[in-house]
């Protein structure tokens, strides 16, 4: 009777170990999919940041150009020039944020 009981315990223990092993495999798959989702979210956040910086620079250039034209009377040249400057500033901001171009004060190591 004690042997039947020990055998029953061994069978249940083996079954539980098998179930735990499958749960661990499933948990590993869930962790991998969560890691992929995290990378995707970070990429989306970076894209939104870069696009908003670019659009903001263009809008600021256009507004300043429009205001310059209204108060100085240089229409349409103020808008054209400052819109182009805003575009260039937007491209430069995007390149800096992406890490392609160094920030202005990082490269000044040679102080004289």
């Amino acid at each position: 009777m004690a042997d039947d009981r020990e055998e029953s315990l061994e069978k249940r223990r083996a079954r539980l170990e098998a179930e735990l092993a499958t749960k661990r495999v499933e948990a590993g798959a869930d962790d991998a999919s969560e890691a992929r989702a995290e990378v995707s979210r970070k990429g989306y956040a970076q894209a939104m940041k870069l696009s908003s910086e670019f659009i903001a620079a263009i809008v600021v250039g256009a507004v300043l150009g429009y205001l310059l034209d209204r108060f100085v009377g240089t229409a349409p040249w103020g808008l054209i020039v400052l819109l182009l400057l805003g575009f260039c500033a937007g491209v430069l901001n995007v390149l800096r944020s992406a890490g392609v171009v160094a920030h202005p004060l990082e490269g000044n190591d040679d102080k004289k």
Side-chain angles (χ1 to χ4, degrees):
M1 178 119 136
D3 289 335
D4 290 338
R5 197 168 169 178
E6 286 182 25
E7 187 176 311
S8 173
L9 286 174
E10 283 298 317
K11 286 181 182 178
R12 288 194 309 185
R13 187 184 61 79
R15 188 183 76 235
L16 286 174
E17 283 180 1
E19 287 179 15
L20 278 174
T22 58
K23 294 289 183 183
R24 286 182 183 138
V25 169
E26 290 173 3
D30 290 343
D31 291 343
S33 66
E34 183 62 33
R36 285 191 302 273
E38 180 69 24
V39 168
S40 177
R41 284 192 296 269
K42 285 182 181 179
Y44 183 72
Q46 180 75 7
M48 292 301 292
K49 176 186 169 192
L50 294 177
S51 63
S52 65
E53 285 183 6
F54 182 67
I55 291 170
I58 293 174
V59 168
V60 167
V63 168
L64 289 177
Y66 175 77
L67 291 175
L68 180 73
D69 285 341
R70 290 287 283 177
F71 292 116
V72 179
T74 58
W77 296 108
L79 178 65
I80 293 171
V81 169
L82 288 177
L83 186 65
L84 288 174
L85 284 175
F87 178 81
C88 292
V91 169
L92 185 61
N93 284 340
V94 167
L95 291 175
R96 282 183 186 158
S97 293
V100 177
V101 176
H103 291 279
L105 299 177
E106 286 180 0
N108 294 340
D109 291 339
D110 54 321
K111 295 178 182 160
K112 295 178 181 177

